[in-house]
Amino acid sequence: MAKVKKAYFCRECGFEAPKWLGRCPSCGEWNTFAEEVIAKPASASAAVGVATPTTPPQRVSEIERSSHRRLDLNNSEVNRVLGGGLVPGSLILLGGEPGIGKSTLSLQLALSNHSLRTLYVSGEESAEQIGMRAERLGIANEECYIYSETLLENILLQIKQYQPDVVVIDSIQTIYTEMIDSSAGSVSQIRECAASLLKYAKTTSTSIFIIGHITKDGTIAGPKILEHIVDVVLQFEGDSNNVHRILRGIKNRFGATFEIGVFEMSESGLRAVENPSEILLSHYDEPLSGIAVGSSVDGIRPYLIEVQALVSNAAYGTPQRNATGYDQRRMNMLLAVLEKRVGLKMFQKDVFLNFAGGFKVADAGLDLAIVAAVISSYYDRPIADGVCCAGEIGLSGEVRPAPRSEQRVSEAARLGFRRIIVSGFLRKGVKMPTGIEAVYINNIGELPRALFCEEF
Ligand code: TYD
Ligand code: MG
């Protein structure tokens, strides 16, 4: 087959060179050159069997709306993260660290709806291995086909023959096209394969899940363009020492992003956790210091999460600050506010912060809970059972309402919390549900008293 013409481009400034260079002569950046295809042979698209669509421009009112149609994947968590089901013809990128359960989740999706024909293509495992996994998952489905192959041309041929409604490609880094002679997993291979799959998905209304590996710094391996061309980017996260996994929507052309789905890895696959607060709150016989509960919202779903802080005397000159699953700079900011506005001597203290279940959080509405956990550990005084917090903290120590405060309060009430500490601004705006009492504070200086009542 005729090979294509290639060149090297700088990822930073776009400088073109005929061969790979370590340092870009134009912008001076190191290690930014990647191989790119600049001209394909004329027969290339015919070779992969994809016709170019030739629809003329249409009036917006004449365009057929297909957005109402959603395929039910028979998995409540995934359906929700996708915005209410799978849109036919969508291209979905599923990223995650090795061993987190991407293959398990996608095989489960391929097996779980009996009215959809699915094709699970694996470039990583043999058909026997996948068969064994399917057995372990305990779901039988006559409409699910398994295909172990790495050559894109063969994969497209089989897809055309079997005409599945849903295709899973496990993983984009292992498949390659003959059009390019670089090895599988290289930037140009990933790009070309993804582009061919995109064309196929859009012209035939087949939904395609593409599994992608994650690099050390947590981004999906391969060119950034991969994330641009797909409709939905999902990230599967979790701590491999922990059984809980989170499916997070990072980009979604058909629904809200930052929606999360929570799963528990069991002996027989991933089980949807419908009520995440259940797993994120521990139950202790007696209250412990350094633990606070925050009411958080991710996407449209509120949940309560336990924040754990440990404040101890710094052994060395520079105190240690360590946050797991949280932005350390934000933690430092909150500690500085505590020092200045409440007068705690944080500069002499090591501070460690952690969230239950290995959760990663970025919700500013948890500020108050984080500070409460730090204060509780600092004074070594436990916070009473049934108390939780929701609020943002500003640099001058003011407590602001967290977004979607109403939902946070109702979730806390639903789970039987008796008292919630929130911003004084909510006095008028939010009606408190029965069974929960609100403690309004305007400034972080009022927090110790709100937490421990009388003595402060
Ligand atoms: P896998 O889906 O192969 O991960 P990835 O494709 O993201 O690399 O993941 C699997 C891990 O999950 C593996 O360590 C075994 C475990 N596992 C279970 O605990 N229960 C199960 O039912 C299955 C299928 C896997
Ligand atoms: Mg895998």
Side-chain angles (χ1 to χ4, degrees):
M1 188 183 278
K3 295 294 178 199
V4 294
K5 200 169 163 223
K6 287 172 293 180
Y8 290 82
F9 288 89
C10 170
R11 267 195 295 255
E12 294 296 322
C13 68
F15 183 82
E16 182 184 342
K19 61 181 174 49
W20 189 84
L21 299 172
R23 181 168 189 256
C24 176
S26 168
C27 67
E29 286 296 318
W30 288 92
N31 213 7
T32 55
F33 274 83
E35 182 192 35
E36 305 261 337
V37 175
I38 48 177
K40 289 182 208 167
S43 62
S45 59
V48 290
V50 182
T52 326
T54 52
T55 335
Q58 287 169 283
R59 279 207 185 86
V60 71
S61 56
E62 287 166 5
I63 300 170
E64 213 182 304
R65 299 277 191 280
S66 61
S67 58
H68 317 298
R69 235 186 96 214
R70 299 256 184 179
L71 306 174
D72 177 11
L73 285 170
N74 203 7
N75 186 315
S76 58
E77 297 295 291
V78 178
N79 277 343
R80 200 195 33 253
V81 176
L82 289 175
L86 183 64
V87 175
S90 55
L91 200 60
I92 298 146
L93 179 63
L94 173 63
E97 283 174 17
I100 204 79
K102 302 180 295 297
S103 306
T104 307
L105 179 69
S106 43
L107 182 60
Q108 227 168 306
L109 291 178
L111 288 168
S112 56
N113 191 330
H114 293 254
S115 56
L116 293 179
R117 173 175 281 209
T118 53
L119 180 67
Y120 183 98
V121 181
S122 181
E124 300 195 340
E125 290 162 290
S126 66
E128 289 80 41
Q129 273 176 297
I130 301 163
M132 273 160 57
R133 179 172 299 169
E135 206 168 289
R136 188 170 171 190
L137 296 175
I139 319 170
N141 188 344
E142 288 302 310
E143 285 299 298
C144 174
Y145 293 84
I146 306 291
Y147 183 42
S148 183
E149 176 60 69
T150 49
L151 181 61
L152 180 73
E153 282 74 12
N154 283 348
I155 294 169
L156 286 172
L157 205 70
Q158 296 299 337
I159 295 179
K160 278 203 324 208
Q161 190 175 340
Y162 282 86
Q163 308 244 317
D165 301 301
V166 180
V167 177
V168 176
I169 304 287
D170 187 2
S171 63
I172 189 78
Q173 277 88 4
T174 55
I175 65 170
Y176 71 101
T177 164
E178 274 177 339
M179 286 191 299
I180 303 169
D181 56 5
S182 60
S183 60
S186 65
V187 172
S188 52
Q189 281 289 3
I190 291 177
R191 237 171 68 145
E192 284 307 299
C193 291
S196 299
L197 291 169
L198 174 76
K199 263 192 215 155
Y200 186 84
K202 296 298 166 197
T203 49
T204 62
S205 286
T206 310
S207 301
I208 304 182
F209 281 90
I210 297 177
I211 294 180
H213 293 177
I214 284 240
T215 56
K216 266 200 218 97
D217 59 359
T219 53
I220 294 168
K224 199 72 186 160
I225 197 163
L226 189 56
E227 288 176 51
H228 288 298
I229 68 169
V230 298
D231 299 305
V232 180
V233 180
L234 303 179
Q235 190 136 314
F236 208 31
E237 331 175 320
D239 182 352
S240 48
N241 300 321
N242 200 303
V243 292
H244 299 119
R245 304 279 185 272
I246 295 166
L247 185 67
R248 200 183 286 278
I250 294 178
K251 163 184 172 179
N252 192 349
R253 287 188 181 147
F254 316 114
T257 42
F258 305 113
E259 194 61 73
I260 61 162
V262 185
F263 297 90
E264 189 180 284
M265 181 63 99
S266 72
E267 265 306 294
S268 53
L270 290 150
R271 185 181 71 85
V273 177
E274 316 248 321
N275 184 3
S277 305
E278 222 172 73
I279 56 162
L280 295 172
L281 297 178
S282 328
H283 299 280
Y284 304 101
D285 293 338
E286 52 187 279
L288 302 171
S289 71
I291 292 177
V293 177
S295 189
S296 185
V297 178
D298 236 318
I300 55 164
R301 185 157 65 168
Y303 58 89
L304 274 89
I305 184 166
E306 189 182 286
V307 186
Q308 302 175 343
L310 176 69
V311 178
S312 61
N313 288 330
Y316 306 103
T318 323
Q320 285 191 68
R321 300 282 154 91
N322 205 326
T324 313
Y326 190 71
D327 179 14
Q328 192 149 337
R329 278 168 304 177
R330 181 134 192 121
M331 175 174 97
N332 285 335
M333 186 279 273
L334 292 174
L335 295 178
V337 173
L338 260 181
E339 173 128 21
K340 181 108 179 164
R341 310 286 167 197
V342 189
L344 302 190
K345 303 216 170 6
M346 299 311 300
F347 66 93
Q348 298 167 340
K349 304 287 185 186
D350 289 343
V351 181
F352 304 91
L353 190 69
N354 196 10
F355 290 87
F359 249 54
K360 284 200 189 94
V361 300
D363 174 18
L366 281 174
D367 286 355
L368 210 50
I370 291 167
V371 169
V374 171
I375 291 177
S376 161
S377 179
Y378 184 93
Y379 291 117
D380 199 16
R381 290 194 51 159
I383 297 170
D385 229 12
V387 177
C388 65
C389 311
E392 277 184 42
I393 295 174
L395 285 183
S396 48
E398 78 276 18
V399 177
R400 293 189 297 243
R404 295 174 185 268
S405 286
E406 202 146 358
Q407 268 177 292
R408 296 175 197 250
V409 173
S410 349
E411 177 72 2
R414 196 178 70 76
L415 288 165
F417 279 79
R418 285 175 288 107
R419 197 191 288 172
I420 184 162
I421 304 174
V422 290
S423 161
F425 287 106
L426 294 182
R427 240 188 217 108
K428 290 204 192 83
V430 174
K431 202 175 147 285
M432 285 294 144
T434 45
I436 192 161
E437 173 206 357
V439 178
Y440 298 105
I441 60 171
N442 295 318
N443 199 283
I444 193 178
E446 300 162 39
L447 185 58
R449 178 187 278 272
L451 288 172
F452 313 118
C453 300
E454 62 293 340
E455 288 154 54
F456 281 84

